Amino acid sequence: DVQLVESGGGSVQAGGSLTLSCTASGYTYSMFSVGWFRQAPGKEREGITAIGPDGATTSYADSVKGRFTISQDNAKPVNTLILQMNSLKPEDTAMCYCAAVPRVTATQALAFMRDPGSGYWGQGTQVTVS
């Protein structure tokens, strides 16, 4: 079974930084795009970034481009996905989820993450920017 476990959320002032981590296991890395989506209260899901099945191609939503960086380390027994978030804004406040979507590119994954019926995701970690 695919398992995704997020950590690293918290509260920060505007302009600050946070690093989110996700341990991912139970899937074939070369068949999935992995990444992050977020959901603020009363709003729809937003796919914000993903890494493609090649482990190198990345995609970012315009809202986070230039501020957030995704990376992964699959040399370990489990894949570790990292999201470095810099220059945080109050509008970045949301529950952030690690996600894995099969058989799509990184760019396609951002769209698929908006659909609750697509892929797998973890329990989420809260990011609050004031």
Side-chain angles (χ1 to χ4, degrees), residues 17-126:
S17 298
L18 282 174
T19 303
L20 306 185
S21 297
C22 171
T23 56
S25 61
Y27 64 96
T28 302
Y29 301 150
S30 61
M31 294 181 64
F32 280 72
S33 282
V34 289
W36 299 84
F37 70 88
R38 64 187 179 186
Q39 189 165 25
K43 294 188 176 181
E44 295 185 348
R45 290 181 169 197
E46 178 189 20
I48 55 176
T49 183
I51 292 180
D54 62 0
T57 304
T58 57
S59 185
Y60 294 91
D62 289 343
S63 58
V64 305
K65 199 172 294 183
R67 301 187 296 122
F68 290 13
T69 303
I70 188 173
S71 61
Q72 70 174 358
D73 179 358
N74 58 14
K76 302 178 182 179
V78 296
N79 188 17
T80 301
L81 197 64
I82 304 294
L83 179 62
Q84 179 64 43
M85 304 185 294
N86 298 327
S87 302
L88 283 161
K89 305 174 182 180
E91 51 263 44
D92 293 318
T93 295
M95 186 71 80
C96 293
Y97 298 85
C98 178
V101 186
R103 297 180 295 277
V104 298
T105 66
T107 299
Q108 293 169 334
L110 297 191
F112 276 92
M113 287 179 197
R114 293 199 297 265
D115 179 1
S118 295
Y120 306 85
W121 56 93
Q123 82 287 352
T125 186
Q126 179 67 38

